[in-house]
Amino acid sequence: MEGSKGWKKEQLGFLKGMPWLALGLALVLLVWNGLGSNGGAMASPGEGSRTLTVTGQGSVAVETSIAVIRLGVVIQGDTAQSVQQQLAERSERLVNRLKELQVSALQTTGISLYPQYDYQQSPPRLSGVQGQNSLQFEVPIARAGQVLDEAVAAGATQVESVSFRADEATLLQARSRALRQAVEDAQRQANDVLRALNLSSRSVERIQIHSEGYIAPPVPLAGMGGAEYARLQAASTPVEGGQQTVRAQVTLEIRF
């Protein structure tokens, strides 16, 4: 015992002569004691902040009420000047009639004038010129058939397309419902997963709303000539809009 005490005194004396070494040893002892107080384990950086990411879907079908119609005036002739003049006259007559019918969002969507060739000749021979003016407008579906009749009578030679959509107020309400559905779907998925693992959600850490889409119903009457459409209307063919689907997608990051 006396020898041991003598050894400790010598060591202490040695340490007193080396203050920096004593300070380093003290720090090591403090770190060691800290580890021992936690049972030899340190909390991992991610502990207490575990998250689960889920994406929910929502969709709402609504009735359409507006027809989006695109019409064309097509003129063929021998010279560009004569075709351009006829095209302008007929297009002006059509535009004036559509304005009288009080259609909405009337706009020109395309004007073209290009030569036509007879490729059975060698070399190909210029056979004429074709011009086209395309117009687009919106009208309530209940009036679509009448307006198309009037437009063909006023000079439209081609029904390029007819599509349908719901009005803005209906689309806005459908979007809100679709978003709520998407959130509920994401929460349901998260709860199912956590419950299966005997865990529970604590809070929503992050929310991401993805771009939603409006899926229009099929487009009838696409590319139909004016004469062909007139024959259909003579048979009293109705114009039906159908439904439009509004979709939404929401991603939640949930802490558990």
Side-chain angles (χ1 to χ4, degrees):
M1 294 293 294
E2 292 180 1
S4 174
K5 290 180 180 180
W7 181 84
K8 288 183 178 179
K9 289 180 180 180
E10 291 178 1
Q11 296 299 320
L12 290 174
F14 176 73
L15 292 175
K16 287 179 181 180
M18 301 183 66
W20 291 109
L21 179 59
L23 179 60
L25 289 173
L27 290 174
V28 170
L29 288 173
L30 285 174
V31 172
W32 180 264
N33 289 334
L35 289 174
S37 65
N38 287 329
M42 296 181 65
S44 63
E47 189 174 343
S49 61
R50 300 172 301 181
T51 59
L52 171 67
T53 301
V54 289
T55 298
Q57 310 284 344
S59 65
V60 175
V62 295
E63 293 294 329
T64 58
S65 58
I66 298 173
V68 183
I69 301 173
R70 180 174 293 186
L71 301 175
V73 177
V74 180
I75 300 293
Q76 293 182 346
D78 296 329
T79 66
Q81 184 177 3
S82 64
V83 169
Q84 179 67 21
Q85 183 177 356
Q86 294 179 61
L87 188 64
E89 292 174 356
R90 184 171 292 191
S91 297
E92 183 180 10
R93 188 164 65 248
L94 174 60
V95 167
N96 290 336
R97 184 58 184 140
L98 291 174
K99 288 180 178 179
E100 290 174 359
L101 293 169
Q102 298 182 341
V103 302
S104 303
L106 177 62
Q107 60 178 323
T108 298
T109 57
I111 298 177
S112 62
L113 186 69
Y114 51 89
Q116 292 183 305
Y117 291 93
D118 181 1
Y119 290 98
Q120 294 182 352
Q121 303 288 332
S122 184
R125 183 178 62 85
L126 180 65
S127 60
V129 177
Q130 177 172 299
Q132 180 170 349
N133 188 4
S134 296
L135 301 170
Q136 179 176 297
F137 59 90
E138 297 180 357
V139 67
I141 292 176
R143 295 181 55 216
Q146 174 203 352
V147 171
L148 282 169
D149 270 346
E150 297 283 353
V152 170
T157 60
Q158 186 173 10
V159 181
E160 297 181 7
S161 67
V162 181
S163 60
F164 306 99
R165 69 173 181 85
D167 61 81
E168 294 300 329
T170 300
L171 288 176
L172 187 60
Q173 293 177 359
R175 180 177 181 271
S176 297
R177 291 169 54 196
L179 284 171
R180 287 196 296 270
Q181 286 184 7
V183 171
E184 292 170 0
D185 181 40
Q187 290 177 325
R188 183 167 50 250
Q189 292 181 59
N191 290 335
D192 288 343
V193 171
L194 293 175
R195 192 178 299 114
L197 297 171
N198 292 322
L199 299 170
S200 60
S201 62
R202 300 176 63 183
S203 63
V204 177
E205 296 293 303
R206 188 169 60 178
I207 303 171
Q208 183 177 3
I209 301 175
H210 304 277
S211 58
E212 66 278 352
Y214 301 144
I215 301 178
V219 181
L221 311 180
M224 185 174 295
E228 183 180 357
Y229 175 77
R231 285 196 300 271
L232 285 179
Q233 285 301 101
S236 301
T237 302
V239 177
E240 298 292 339
Q243 290 187 326
Q244 179 178 4
T245 301
V246 180
R247 300 191 186 280
Q249 191 177 74
V250 175
T251 296
L252 302 181
E253 187 176 303
I254 297 175
R255 186 158 64 95
F256 62 91

